[in-house]
């Protein structure tokens, strides 16, 4: 059912949260737009400006790697300045209250960890852009290290240990999903009684399969997004409003 207005949505959600034992949030880029990080698909979103670079292209071409890193450095000020928004803080309040065992996220911005979730309780389906890894040996590199070398050589450096390319840690299109995270997300989706999809267009698969999985396993499903999604008709509650406004009333200090 679609909430008739913001007040109705917040009230219904409040009742569902109060009755739930285990709430699993599933978050997308819309959760972070109020922190200044654009999403992909909204007007002005990242895809209206840049075509995504596929993994095979990144591996095969120095030019593609240079372009990928130039884009990442161009976003650095935005990512570095972002602080958890009202949605993040509401979820961390419910986490501290013992209602949320862990969050499943498509986001790569580290803001759930910054809001107080233990790193082990943030299931990052699409990785994390706040650091980089060698795609060969897995060695971690910090962005400042990459930037210094990029600026000195005018090209993205390879791993000094194994000479394979170094990439920010998000999962690119064409790259396989992280197995351990998929497994943990599956367990969480199947063992919660309330699953809340927040700020995701629910079109990126396989991640978009988790709300349906939770629903099939018996959880109630809530979708909070300012636009309709393809899964609205299976949800128990749909709130078409701004996430910060909806979740702001659930923030506790
Ligand atoms: P998406 O861009 O496809 O969808 C975001 C959805 O959130 C849209 O439907 C939009 O209408 C809605 N939305 C945006 N701001 C909102 C607000 N304030 N209140 C309510 N709704 C709002 O994002 P997605 O579904 O997460 O998929 C895109 C992929 O992009 C993800 O895989 C993610 O890895 C990546 N991404 C991440 C970030 C980030 O980490 N912050 C940013 C951009 C893209």
């Amino acid at each position: 059912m679609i909430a008739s207005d913001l007040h109705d949505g917040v009230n219904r959600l409040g009742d569902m949260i109060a009755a739930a034992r285990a709430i699993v949030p599933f978050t997308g880029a819309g959760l972070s737009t109020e922190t200044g990080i654009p999403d992909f698909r909204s007007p002005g979103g990242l895809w209206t400006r840049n075509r995504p670079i596929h993994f095979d292209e990144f591996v095969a071409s120095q030019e593609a790697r240079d372009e990928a890193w130039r884009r990442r450095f161009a976003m650095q000020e935005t990512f570095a300045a972002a602080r958890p928004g009202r949605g993040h803080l509401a979820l961390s309040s419910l986490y501290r209250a013992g209602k949320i065992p862990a969050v499943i996220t498509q986001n790569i911005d580290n803001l759930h960890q910054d809001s107080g979730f233990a790193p082990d309780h943030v299931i990052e389906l699409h990785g994390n852009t706040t650091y980089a890894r060698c795609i060969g040996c897995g060695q971690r590199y910090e962005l400042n290290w990459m930037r210094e070398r990029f600026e000195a050589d005018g090209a993205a450096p390879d791993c000094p240990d194994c000479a394979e390319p170094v990439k920010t840690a998000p999962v690119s299109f064409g790259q396989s999903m992280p197995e351990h995270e998929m497994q943990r997300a599956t367990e969480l989706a199947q063992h919660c009684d309330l699953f809340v999809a927040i700020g995701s267009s629910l079109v990126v698969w396989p991640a978009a399969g988790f709300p349906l999985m939770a629903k099939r396993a018996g959880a109630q499903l809530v979708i909070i997004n300012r636009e309709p999604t393809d899964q609205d008709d299976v949800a128990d509650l749909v709130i078409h409003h701004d996430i910060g406004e909806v979740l702001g009333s659930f923030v506790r200090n």
Side-chain angles (χ1 to χ4, degrees), residues 3 8-9 46 56 62 66 77 81 122 134 136 139 151 154 161 169 175 184 188 195 208 211 214 237 250:
D8 177 48
L46 295 174
D56 290 351
Q62 178 73 43
D66 293 348
E77 261 180 49
V122 183
C134 166
Q139 173 69 39
E151 281 169 3
D161 292 344
Q175 200 175 7
R184 286 193 66 198
L188 285 162
F195 192 94
L237 175 66
F250 299 97

Side-chain angles (χ1 to χ4, degrees), residues 31-93:
L31 180 67
S32 296
T33 52
E34 80 166 6
T35 76
I37 302 173
D39 63 10
F40 270 175
R41 292 176 179 78
S42 290
L46 295 174
W47 277 4
T48 57
R49 287 177 267 157
N50 283 320
R51 174 186 72 81
I53 296 171
H54 280 242
F55 184 65
D56 290 351
E57 208 182 337
F58 183 91
V59 175
S61 148
Q62 178 73 43
E63 208 178 307
R65 291 199 286 283
D66 293 348
E67 173 60 13
W69 276 104
R70 263 193 296 274
R71 287 183 193 178
R72 180 61 189 83
F73 295 141
M75 287 295 294
Q76 178 54 10
E77 261 180 49
T78 304
F79 275 109
R83 294 288 166 268
R86 289 170 292 178
H88 296 98
L89 297 175
L91 297 182
S92 68
S93 301

Side-chain angles (χ1 to χ4, degrees), residues 26-43 45-47 75 79 82 86 88 105-111 125-129 170-171 173 177 198-205 207-208 224-229 239-246:
F26 170 86
T27 62
L31 180 67
S32 296
T33 52
E34 80 166 6
T35 76
I37 302 173
D39 63 10
F40 270 175
R41 292 176 179 78
S42 290
L46 295 174
W47 277 4
M75 287 295 294
F79 275 109
R86 289 170 292 178
H88 296 98
T105 190
Q106 299 182 89
N107 292 346
I108 54 178
D109 54 25
N110 212 60
L111 289 175
L125 296 177
H126 294 163
N128 189 310
T129 192
V171 176
F173 282 92
M177 295 291 285
I198 306 165
S200 174
S201 55
L202 300 178
V203 297
V204 182
W205 291 78
I224 308 173
N225 207 64
R226 63 186 171 202
E227 285 171 341
T229 74
I239 307 178
H240 285 159
H241 287 278
D242 177 73
I243 292 161
E245 284 185 39
V246 174

Side-chain angles (χ1 to χ4, degrees), residues 6 21 49 63 80 100 116 118 123 157 160 162 174 181 183 192 207 221 230 232 239-240 245:
L6 178 63
R21 279 176 302 102
R49 287 177 267 157
E63 208 178 307
I100 292 178
I123 316 302
C162 72
E181 282 76 4
Q183 187 53 39
C192 63
L221 174 61
D230 287 349
D232 285 4
I239 307 178
H240 285 159
E245 284 185 39

